Amino acid sequence: TGSGQKIAGTTLTKSNIIAAMESMFDALPSNVRFDTNELVLIVSKKALFLYKQALTAAGVSFFHNLSEDAPAQIYGVEVVAVDGLNATPNVMLLQERKNIHIGYDLKSDESEISIIDFRYTTGAEKVGFKAKWKFDIKYAFPAEVVIYGTSFV
């Protein structure tokens, strides 16, 4: 994830997750803190579940539906669970959506994409794709990213 502002955290629980999220907002630079339409808090699925448990324990009845489809927010900022953080469930990222960029290797990508017509192999009316390329996720302004965690990805 690069070199955003890092907050050394503890193992997330339903008792401390709201305080951990609040500490991230406190560390966010004021020039982006108040633009809640652009901000996103990226967490693991476990962290999202802990957050919903904490809200339910606090009596926030909207979050009694703990399904994956129930929207979650803090201070009007969307809390999004991503599979990529499931291996590091105590890591959370707070940043503007427009600050997230995907980089990939264009130099060799064209030669690394294959189209497989299954009519000639299995007889099925399907087409498959096989591709190999490198990509990474970066942010344009590292000072405008807050990373909370017990270890940093």
Side-chain angles (χ1 to χ4, degrees):
T1 56
S3 61
Q5 297 184 58
K6 294 179 176 146
I7 299 174
T10 61
T11 300
L12 294 172
T13 66
K14 70 178 179 181
S15 301
N16 69 8
I17 191 156
I18 293 175
M21 290 175 170
E22 288 175 342
S23 72
M24 296 177 73
F25 279 91
D26 292 341
L28 199 63
S30 59
N31 62 314
V32 295
R33 182 181 308 157
F34 305 112
D35 191 3
T36 58
N37 292 332
E38 280 294 323
L39 290 174
V40 62
L41 179 56
I42 302 168
V43 301
S44 68
K45 287 184 177 182
K46 177 184 176 187
L48 179 60
F49 185 76
L50 291 171
Y51 179 58
K52 289 180 179 184
Q53 281 185 314
L55 292 175
T56 300
V60 181
S61 61
F62 177 76
F63 284 94
H64 282 282
N65 175 7
L66 295 178
S67 75
E68 299 238 350
D69 296 333
Q73 291 187 349
I74 182 168
Y75 304 134
V77 173
E78 186 177 10
V79 180
V80 177
V82 296
D83 289 327
L85 287 179
N86 288 338
T88 53
N90 297 310
V91 173
M92 300 185 289
L93 297 106
L94 177 62
Q95 62 190 354
E96 288 184 301
R97 291 178 194 274
K98 64 185 175 188
N99 198 12
I100 303 169
H101 299 276
I102 299 174
Y104 48 92
D105 174 18
L106 282 176
K107 195 169 190 173
S108 63
D109 287 350
E110 285 185 32
S111 61
E112 298 291 329
I113 298 174
S114 303
I115 300 173
I116 304 159
D117 188 342
F118 287 102
R119 290 179 298 175
Y120 302 114
T121 56
T122 65
E125 292 287 327
K126 293 194 265 185
V127 176
F129 297 91
K130 180 179 176 183
K132 294 181 186 178
W133 60 74
K134 300 173 198 125
F135 78 95
D136 194 9
I137 297 174
K138 299 288 185 186
Y139 25 81
F141 304 103
E144 297 177 0
V145 177
V146 178
I147 306 167
Y148 175 97
T150 54
S151 63
F152 298 102
V153 292

